[in-house]
Amino acid sequence: MADAIAGVARTQVTVTVNGQERSGNVEPRTLLVHFLRDDLGLTGTHVGCDTSQCGACVVTVDGVTTKSCTKLAVQADGCSIETIEGLADGTNYHPIQDAFWEKHGLQCGYCTPGMIMSAKALLERNPDPSEAEIRHELEGNLCRCTGYQNIVKSVQYAAEKMRGAG
Ligand code: FES
Ligand code: FES
């Protein structure tokens, strides 16, 4: 059995993450979230469930928001990925990160990377979403702490700031 496990073929996967080309050798069953966290050291993307329901693992793959626990690393080969680590510009937080800070959009912070990545995708598509649209967009992201009210306020505040900046 040990030999069989040791003999599992590994495949090279190369992705562009937050603008940088990164590679690793993975087993065919390796999930993208584990590749990001364990092989590339990008632990900002969280694992909050094993049922693909919580959204803590959301990243974008070729611009599409994706629960990275639902995709194999080999399926992402050649793709361009953005994770929460790619949002800040040096020591300057992204406006959505600032908004979560300003409006208390987090408590434990476990859901926050996924929330922010989903919110970013929404605001890129729709810079002035209604409260209902924000709630709809974040339906796939669960938070056990905040009751969601301050998360919605954070996204509204970020939208306002980003429209002002744009
Ligand atoms: S860890 Fe991916 S949805 Fe929960
Ligand atoms: S802030 Fe704790 S799960 Fe959302």
Side-chain angles (χ1 to χ4, degrees), residues 4-133:
I5 291 171
V8 171
R10 297 179 83 89
T11 307
Q12 170 149 327
V13 169
T14 302
V15 291
T16 302
V17 188
N18 304 326
Q20 283 194 325
E21 193 172 286
R22 305 284 304 271
S23 295
N25 285 311
V26 300
E27 291 183 18
R29 63 177 179 164
T30 303
L31 297 173
L32 177 57
V33 68
H34 292 137
F35 177 57
L36 292 170
R37 289 177 54 84
D38 302 339
D39 293 51
L40 304 187
L42 296 168
T43 54
T45 301
H46 292 165
V47 181
C49 71
D50 55 11
T51 52
S52 302
Q53 284 177 316
C54 75
C57 63
V58 169
V59 299
T60 60
V61 179
D62 288 342
V64 178
T65 47
T66 302
K67 288 180 173 174
S68 57
C69 72
T70 65
K71 203 173 181 77
L72 296 169
V74 292
Q75 293 176 298
D77 189 36
C79 292
S80 182
I81 296 171
E82 186 174 36
T83 70
I84 190 73
E85 287 91 346
L87 265 59
D89 179 11
T91 54
N92 296 320
Y93 284 133
H94 187 281
I96 305 176
Q97 292 173 305
D98 269 338
F100 271 68
W101 171 264
E102 288 291 335
K103 296 294 173 188
H104 310 290
L106 65 145
Q107 288 180 24
C108 80
Y110 205 85
C111 69
T112 311
M115 286 288 179
I116 289 179
M117 295 308 291
S118 294
K120 180 170 180 279
L122 168 66
L123 297 184
E124 282 170 359
R125 260 196 342 270
N126 177 0
D128 191 10
S130 66
E131 179 177 340
E133 286 169 331

